[in-house]
Amino acid sequence: DAKTTQPNSMESNEEEPVHLPCNHSTISGTDYIHWYRQLPSQGPEYVIHGLTSNVNNRMASLAIAEDRKSSTLILHRATLRDAAVYYCIPLEEAGGSYIPTFGRGTSLIVHP
Amino acid sequence: EPEVTQTPSHQVTQMGQEVILRCVPISNHLYFYWYRQILGQKVEFLVSFYNNEISEKSEIFDDQFSVERPDGSNFTLKIRSTKLEDSAMYFCASRSSLAGVGELFFGEGSRLTVL
């Protein structure tokens, strides 16, 4: 599995954009970059994934570096409900072992 | 929106007792998982299950653990003789086979407290 590095914590103010970085320099060419988050006292929740191109969905945007060694999850307008631990997980396409492995992630604190 | 449901939400048991944690995955999903999270620690993979058999398991998933899909809807995790260190949140997850890169849908977890 590719090793990832994320800041332990980040802070934001409500309604401001948040950029959550992840380094995954050992990622393989077939690994998709997934992001999950875990709200307090809840199970993990899928956020977004991508391979090479930047991706957008209703929850967030994912910006992937051209060399794929890093990515950034972008929350365009943070809300209090976005306070959670965010996990960056490189994962090969299903067909082989498809087991998300959670690290420590980044704990996002959102101030009102 | 379909969801994974888990019961019980919290179970307290004595050391050495058997515990069964239940999960109802999303109805058209075919891949099932159990994870656990000890308080303050990472979410850890236990086991994955497909086509009525274990696909993969971690070192944590020793002979004290077993999984079963007894009736085509429930997916259970059994701990035969609980230890103090089994105290944790246990999360069930399921995934559809339709997508090549499919997200896992997690339940809200079952908190197990072993006294």
Side-chain angles (χ1 to χ4, degrees):
Chain A
D1 291 346
K3 182 173 165 47
T4 60
T5 303
Q6 297 180 253
N8 290 331
S9 64
M10 291 185 67
E11 297 187 33
S12 172
N13 294 317
E14 204 175 4
E15 299 192 6
E16 288 185 356
V18 181
H19 291 230
L20 297 163
C22 180
N23 284 316
H24 32 76
S25 58
T26 60
I27 195 169
S28 78
T30 54
D31 281 349
Y32 284 73
I33 299 151
H34 290 68
W35 284 80
Y36 281 77
R37 72 180 185 180
Q38 186 176 22
L39 278 64
S41 302
Q42 294 192 27
E45 173 187 33
Y46 166 84
V47 177
I48 199 167
H49 74 271
L51 185 62
T52 54
S53 305
N54 295 343
V55 184
N56 301 294
N57 67 19
R58 63 178 177 81
M59 289 180 73
S61 295
L62 177 59
I64 301 171
E66 199 170 326
D67 63 6
R68 293 194 359 106
K69 293 185 176 181
S70 65
S71 61
T72 302
L73 180 71
I74 302 165
L75 307 179
H76 295 284
R77 289 182 66 193
T79 69
L80 295 178
R81 196 192 173 276
D82 291 321
V85 180
Y86 287 79
Y87 302 97
C88 161
I89 305 174
L91 196 55
E92 194 172 358
E93 182 172 351
S97 170
Y98 193 82
I99 299 168
T101 301
F102 294 84
R104 291 280 178 196
T106 296
S107 179
L108 175 65
I109 300 163
V110 181
H111 299 288
Chain B
E1 190 172 313
E3 59 182 16
V4 174
T5 57
Q6 291 186 240
T7 55
S9 56
H10 188 192
Q11 181 156 358
V12 181
T13 189
Q14 295 290 325
M15 193 167 55
Q17 295 296 303
E18 177 183 282
V19 160
I20 297 176
L21 305 178
R22 291 183 168 79
C23 168
V24 179
I26 294 173
S27 63
N28 64 341
H29 285 190
L30 298 178
Y31 296 86
F32 313 111
Y33 303 76
W34 283 101
Y35 284 78
R36 80 171 185 190
Q37 186 174 31
I38 296 171
L39 186 64
Q41 298 191 26
K42 296 188 283 188
V43 177
E44 301 174 290
F45 167 73
L46 292 178
V47 66
S48 61
F49 190 86
Y50 170 69
N51 201 25
N52 276 324
E53 59 183 28
I54 291 173
S55 303
E56 293 198 47
K57 59 183 182 178
S58 71
E59 290 180 355
I60 303 168
F61 194 87
D62 62 21
D63 291 343
Q64 291 298 312
F65 292 89
S66 62
V67 288
E68 195 177 36
R69 191 158 157 80
D71 57 11
S73 60
N74 289 287
F75 179 51
T76 62
L77 174 69
K78 182 193 288 187
I79 309 174
R80 287 192 186 78
S81 177
T82 50
K83 305 184 228 153
L84 295 175
E85 54 264 38
D86 294 327
S87 294
M89 281 291 286
Y90 288 82
F91 296 108
C92 173
S94 69
R95 176 170 71 88
S96 165
S97 65
L98 297 178
V101 184
E103 63 187 273
L104 268 65
F105 291 81
F106 285 81
E108 294 208 344
S110 292
R111 178 174 298 284
L112 176 64
T113 301
V114 182
L115 302 176

